[in-house]
Amino acid sequence: MVDKQTRYENLVNAYSSWLYRYAYWLCGESSSAEDLVQETFLRAWRFMDSLKEESSAKAWLTTILRRENARKYEKKSFSYSDVEMDEIPTPQTDFDDRPEVIALHVALRELPAKYREPLVLQVLEGYSLDEIAAMFTLPRNTVATRLHRARQKLRKQLEGNDKSLVNRGQSV
Amino acid sequence: MNCLDFRRFRLSDPYSTDAENLSHRVECEACRGFENEVRKLDKQINKALTVEVPEGLAARILLNQSLQSKPRKPTRWYWLSMAASFFLAAGFIFYWTTVTEPVERALVQHLEWEQPIVQSMMMPVQQPQIRQVLNSVNLESTTALENVVFASTCIIDGELVAHLVLEDENHQFTLVLLPQKLIDVDKALQFDDEHWRGVISPDQSGNSLAVLASANDSASFDSMHALIKRLKDSVKPLKV
């Protein structure tokens, strides 16, 4: 029988990277993403006994992370006009910096959260429509529509970027 | 399935193995091309989403957890609170073993233990989640259960049960639906604990329904009986 500490360490080793990536796309910033993952795992430690099936651990952690993020978001309802310019963090640069990847990165950031969240779960981790619907407590069709719109918006945005690159090339 | 449906479907699930979808794919070359395009887009998205994970993240999480769970040096207050907890626990054990019945004791113990988690997770629950929770304990509802703010499956006395919380303007009711008769008597059992009041009632199909309210809530036993009656009318064993 594996003890609580070992179970916990296994969870951290297995899922911290995935949760960090998901958190990054939820809050859009690396230090906030790490804080969010830390808080998620602390809460998970407190409620480890309520995790009965190891197979549902990933969905359980994802749900805790989403709730922690919602809680933080509620607390942090300040106006952006209150923030001094020098307090704004420099843009994240720890990813592939080829132009097409950056264009897609920007397009993903601009995608409304309700479209981006299920897309991240599906593309990055292969969650099925049913699993996402259960996690978000939404009807399956709603999730399907959001994913459909997410991809449609990304396609349109990328097509727009291509055209503007071509136009810029012609004018030079 | 026509081309429009196929494309709509593929944009929501590019790797689905749905039979109708696959057969349209075989027949239509243009749609095959479209699918390849979507899958190519997904590969690009995957690449863009894969941000680098900070080095040593797992180690920092484990360090944080070990610092949080490290026992602090006991203070005078610590020993006083330990003594108080001991007498309180002794009081509870005496109370539970002498006053309350096993079924409600198990229920109350579970609710007391889970209450902080439930309180922190309360938010309106959509019908599919309620359906999923009921189905997990082989039950289904013939009408929509309204005002549900928590729905989950739990284990009480080794049995999987559905645990729901209903909230209206005035009261908050906890429902526990057990797909097994917990009490032998045919009529409802009513109890009034220090922290919880409630009604447990068996039904014809071999289930037990419990409705509880916190002792601080002014909900009457009549309102609990009424809720049990409504539930018995709508919650039935799952038809396979």
Side-chain angles (χ1 to χ4, degrees):
Chain A
M1 181 86 183
V2 184
D3 66 6
K4 184 181 171 184
Q5 182 66 34
T6 312
R7 277 178 79 206
Y8 182 74
E9 286 177 18
N10 290 343
L11 286 188
V12 172
N13 290 325
Y15 300 122
S16 57
S17 296
W18 140 247
L19 277 183
Y20 173 82
R21 289 195 182 105
Y22 181 52
Y24 176 84
W25 285 104
L26 273 187
C27 52
E29 204 251 310
S30 52
S31 63
S32 304
E34 180 160 346
D35 288 348
L36 196 54
V37 175
Q38 288 277 9
E39 279 158 35
T40 301
F41 274 108
L42 278 183
R43 189 166 280 265
W45 169 255
R46 263 179 255 145
F47 296 107
M48 271 297 277
D49 295 334
S50 65
L51 177 68
K52 306 289 177 207
E53 297 274 336
E54 300 298 315
S55 57
S56 58
K58 195 166 154 190
W60 180 66
L61 287 168
T62 310
T63 306
I64 298 178
L65 188 132
R66 291 188 70 234
R67 288 187 199 279
E68 282 297 320
N69 184 53
R71 219 190 306 268
K72 278 181 93 172
Y73 188 75
E74 276 167 21
K75 280 187 203 159
K76 210 176 173 181
S77 55
F78 60 85
S79 159
Y80 279 101
S81 59
D82 297 340
V83 182
E84 295 295 329
M85 283 305 285
D86 55 5
E87 287 176 19
I88 298 173
T90 48
Q92 167 87 8
T93 51
D94 49 1
F95 53 83
D96 196 337
D97 58 358
R98 282 172 297 160
E100 65 272 22
V101 178
I102 292 178
L104 196 52
H105 214 270
V106 172
L108 280 162
R109 274 174 180 270
E110 286 172 1
L111 212 55
K114 66 174 181 179
Y115 297 140
R116 189 175 56 232
E117 266 197 74
L119 189 72
V120 174
L121 289 171
Q122 192 185 49
V123 176
L124 211 52
E125 277 305 302
Y127 275 100
S128 70
L129 283 179
D130 290 318
E131 285 168 328
I132 300 171
M135 209 178 286
F136 288 19
T137 58
L138 284 172
R140 189 183 193 275
N141 284 346
T142 309
V143 175
T145 307
R146 287 185 184 182
L147 285 164
H148 164 249
R149 290 200 182 137
R151 286 194 178 86
Q152 229 174 8
K153 277 175 186 285
L154 287 178
R155 287 178 81 212
K156 268 190 194 154
Q157 219 145 336
L158 291 177
E159 276 169 17
N161 279 338
D162 281 353
K163 274 179 199 158
S164 68
L165 283 173
V166 171
N167 288 342
R168 248 181 275 161
Q170 281 170 343
S171 65
V172 173
Chain B
M1 175 173 278
N2 60 33
C3 294
L4 186 67
D5 287 339
F6 177 88
R7 290 173 185 218
R8 202 174 282 157
F9 194 94
R10 274 309 185 219
L11 279 172
S12 68
D13 198 354
Y15 292 94
S16 163
T17 51
D18 174 76
E20 225 184 318
N21 226 264
L22 293 179
S23 78
H24 180 85
R25 186 184 183 277
V26 173
E27 290 160 14
C28 179
E29 199 187 329
C31 283
R32 265 203 308 278
F34 178 83
E35 185 191 76
N36 290 337
E37 234 181 81
V38 176
R39 288 184 175 184
K40 200 176 142 198
L41 173 71
D42 259 35
K43 276 186 190 149
Q44 287 175 295
I45 297 173
N46 189 301
K47 211 169 270 180
L49 287 174
T50 312
V51 291
E52 221 170 274
V53 177
E55 215 174 303
L57 175 68
R60 281 196 296 282
I61 293 168
L62 292 172
L63 177 69
N64 200 4
Q65 172 260 330
S66 69
L67 291 175
Q68 296 273 336
S69 53
K70 195 178 170 186
R72 281 173 294 175
K73 199 180 168 191
T75 60
R76 199 157 61 104
W77 281 110
Y78 171 81
W79 291 115
L80 280 173
S81 60
M82 281 295 282
S85 306
F86 172 78
F87 286 115
L88 197 65
F92 268 122
I93 291 166
F94 174 78
Y95 176 77
W96 268 324
T97 50
T98 55
V99 182
T100 53
E101 293 298 317
V103 180
E104 68 241 45
R105 196 192 312 155
L107 267 176
V108 167
Q109 271 177 333
H110 173 77
L111 295 182
E112 283 292 300
W113 176 81
E114 210 177 52
Q115 192 63 357
I117 311 173
V118 173
Q119 290 293 341
S120 71
M121 291 172 86
M122 273 188 199
M123 56 175 72
V125 181
Q126 308 290 326
Q127 293 303 321
Q129 193 189 340
I130 299 170
R131 201 162 41 238
Q132 199 181 30
V133 167
L134 291 178
N135 290 173
S136 320
V137 294
N138 296 320
L139 295 173
E140 64 182 342
S141 181
T142 51
T143 54
L145 295 178
E146 303 292 346
N147 305 321
V148 177
V149 290
F150 177 83
S152 175
T153 49
C154 307
I155 294 175
I156 298 180
D157 262 6
E159 296 292 336
L160 192 67
V161 305
H163 177 172
L164 289 87
V165 178
L166 264 70
E167 191 174 61
D168 63 19
E169 283 171 11
N170 306 312
H171 306 295
Q172 193 180 83
F173 292 108
T174 295
L175 316 181
V176 181
L177 309 172
L178 310 107
Q180 192 181 42
K181 214 176 226 178
L182 274 191
I183 44 179
D184 290 333
V185 287
D186 288 333
K187 55 183 184 179
L189 181 122
Q190 201 169 290
F191 66 94
D192 196 346
D193 180 79
E194 194 183 349
H195 299 287
W196 294 90
R197 291 177 302 120
V199 177
I200 307 174
S201 175
D203 72 6
Q204 299 294 327
S205 51
N207 302 316
S208 288
L209 304 169
V211 171
L212 299 96
S214 154
N216 304 326
D217 194 299
S218 61
S220 65
F221 278 117
D222 283 347
S223 61
M224 293 184 206
H225 281 287
L227 184 53
I228 284 213
K229 189 180 176 307
R230 276 213 323 270
L231 285 169
K232 278 184 180 174
D233 290 341
S234 62
V235 178
K236 308 280 178 201
L238 185 65
K239 281 182 196 140
V240 184

